[in-house]
């Protein structure tokens, strides 16, 4: 069990490409993949934990031993892609998630960063005013040389047009969920083509990791897992450019005690 003073846990699954167990589950959904990889990483780390190692800590960081850094000498041949799943419209969480994935991979530049907005509540529609601070942070990443390109996930044509009109640094990518949209809407295709925005598909759930799954992960470590919530989840991939091979892929999750 974690001591009561611990109120923040960050989990790094390490490189899933090297995981024999996950390779056996090739047909997993993204939700199943993130649950299995985070759960196995955390429970393995917990099994080797000595309470005196964390008795005076508020935050703990658990990393899978197969986590690997980006080799600086290979950086020019690699593309670093990151997708951030935020649980709320919190700029500090956005900045922290970017910094954590950079630390995990030991690199200073993300080639492609895609933002997935917090899951909508009560059929809430896209709200540009709530979105503006987050996009401003993304623009800051580009201006400071931390990101090359930035994009969004799951915006329809009117939402993408509204964001595009307001921004200084334009989105270069918009991801579309293939489960909710078997065929790309013509209006979205036309807008993306006109403004040189790449449309990519994905199959992530609106809620990547439901609360009940988080509670199951934390059950062996805390007395009241329902007091905890996710701040953000990051999926990262390192791709060899000339060969299109994924060299490194994994997740990071930040969860806090919400009391």
């Amino acid at each position: 069990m974690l001591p009561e003073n611990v109120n923040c846990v960050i989990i790094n699954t390490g490189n899933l490409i090297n995981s024999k167990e996950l390779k056996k589950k090739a047909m997993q959904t993204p939700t199943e993949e993130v649950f299995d990889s985070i759960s196995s990483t955390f429970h393995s780390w917990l099994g080797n934990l000595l309470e005196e190692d964390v008795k005076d800590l508020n935050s703990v960081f658990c990393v899978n031993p197969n986590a690997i850094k980006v080799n600086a000498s290979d950086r020019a041949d690699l593309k670093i892609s990151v997708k951030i799943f935020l649980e709320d419209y919190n700029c500090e969480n956005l900045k922290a998630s970017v910094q954590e994935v950079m630390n995990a991979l030991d690199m200073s530049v993300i080639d492609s960063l895609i933002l997935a907005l917090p899951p909508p509540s009560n059929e809430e529609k896209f709200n540009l005013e709530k979105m503006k601070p987050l996009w401003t942070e993304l623009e800051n990443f580009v201006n400071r040389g931390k990101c090359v390109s930035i994009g969004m996930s799951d915006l329809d044509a009117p939402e993408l047009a509204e964001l595009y009109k307001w921004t200084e640094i334009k989105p270069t990518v918009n991801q579309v969920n293939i489960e909710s949209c078997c065929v790309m809407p013509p209006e979205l295709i036309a807008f993306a083509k006109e403004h040189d925005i790449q449309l990519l598909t994905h199959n992530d759930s609106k809620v990547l990791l439901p609360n009940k799954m988080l509670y199951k992960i934390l059950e062996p470590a805390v007395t009241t897992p329902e007091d905890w919530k996710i701040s953000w989840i990051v999926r990262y991939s390192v791709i060899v450019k000339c060969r299109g091979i994924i060299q490194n892929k994994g997740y990071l999750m930040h969860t806090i005690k919400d009391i």
Side-chain angles (χ1 to χ4, degrees):
M1 295 289 288
L2 291 175
E4 285 296 321
N5 51 283
V6 174
N7 54 33
C8 169
V9 176
I10 301 176
I11 303 168
N12 179 357
T13 66
N15 189 8
L16 302 185
I17 303 301
N18 294 335
S19 172
K20 294 180 180 179
E21 288 302 314
L22 290 173
K23 282 182 179 178
K24 296 176 184 178
K25 305 175 181 178
M27 300 304 292
Q28 282 188 313
T29 66
T31 292
E32 291 168 338
E33 181 181 72
V34 70
F35 171 77
D36 282 352
S37 59
I38 287 179
S39 179
S40 61
T41 297
F42 183 59
H43 294 167
S44 176
W45 174 84
L46 197 63
N48 297 314
L49 179 68
L50 299 176
E51 276 203 27
E52 53 265 31
D53 293 337
V54 296
K55 65 180 181 179
D56 297 321
L57 299 178
N58 293 323
S59 301
V60 296
F61 192 94
C62 51
V63 184
N64 194 306
N66 69 17
I68 59 176
K69 308 285 188 179
V70 171
N71 191 322
S73 62
D74 297 332
R75 182 63 181 91
D77 300 321
L78 303 174
K79 178 180 179 180
I80 314 294
S81 296
V82 169
K83 185 172 182 179
I84 298 173
F85 302 84
L86 287 181
E87 289 298 312
D88 52 33
Y89 289 82
N90 186 311
C91 290
E92 293 304 314
N93 285 343
L94 175 58
K95 289 189 287 186
S97 65
V98 171
Q99 191 58 56
E100 288 293 348
V101 73
M102 285 183 167
N103 292 344
L105 296 176
D106 192 24
M107 51 88 180
S108 58
V109 180
I110 294 170
D111 294 293
S112 175
L113 192 155
I114 293 175
L115 177 63
L117 292 175
S121 57
N122 301 321
E123 301 302 319
E124 177 186 27
K125 295 294 184 180
F126 175 77
N127 187 322
L128 181 60
E129 292 305 311
K130 292 174 69 174
M131 171 67 202
K132 283 181 178 180
L134 295 177
W135 190 264
T136 298
E137 285 300 333
L138 296 183
E139 292 180 329
N140 288 338
F141 295 149
V142 176
N143 289 330
R144 295 200 301 269
K146 290 188 174 185
C147 292
V148 176
S149 66
I150 50 180
M152 291 297 301
S153 182
D154 297 320
L155 297 189
D156 61 25
E159 293 167 348
L160 185 58
E162 187 179 6
L163 176 66
Y164 189 93
K165 182 179 180 181
W166 172 78
T167 57
E168 291 185 18
I169 298 176
K170 307 302 181 183
T172 59
V173 172
N174 182 46
Q175 284 192 332
V176 180
N177 192 309
I178 56 176
E179 293 185 355
S180 61
C181 175
C182 297
V183 179
M184 290 277 189
E187 184 183 7
L188 182 59
I189 293 175
F191 183 86
K193 185 176 181 180
E194 179 183 356
H195 297 282
D196 196 25
I197 299 173
Q198 186 179 15
L199 295 178
L200 302 176
T201 59
H202 74 91
N203 63 338
D204 299 317
S205 300
K206 288 185 177 180
V207 179
L208 186 61
L209 190 68
N211 285 336
K212 63 180 181 180
M213 288 187 167
L214 172 66
Y215 301 158
K216 189 172 182 179
I217 292 171
L218 295 178
E219 271 177 2
V222 300
T223 53
T224 52
E226 62 274 11
D227 289 341
W228 289 71
K229 70 173 185 177
I230 296 169
S231 300
W232 48 261
I233 296 174
V234 169
R235 178 168 61 226
Y236 59 85
S237 60
V238 180
I239 303 167
V240 182
K241 290 179 182 177
C242 59
R243 299 163 65 191
I245 296 174
I246 299 178
Q247 183 185 84
N248 186 0
K249 172 188 173 183
Y251 293 92
L252 287 94
M253 183 182 77
H254 181 276
T255 180
I256 59 172
K257 192 183 295 184
D258 186 30
I259 54 173

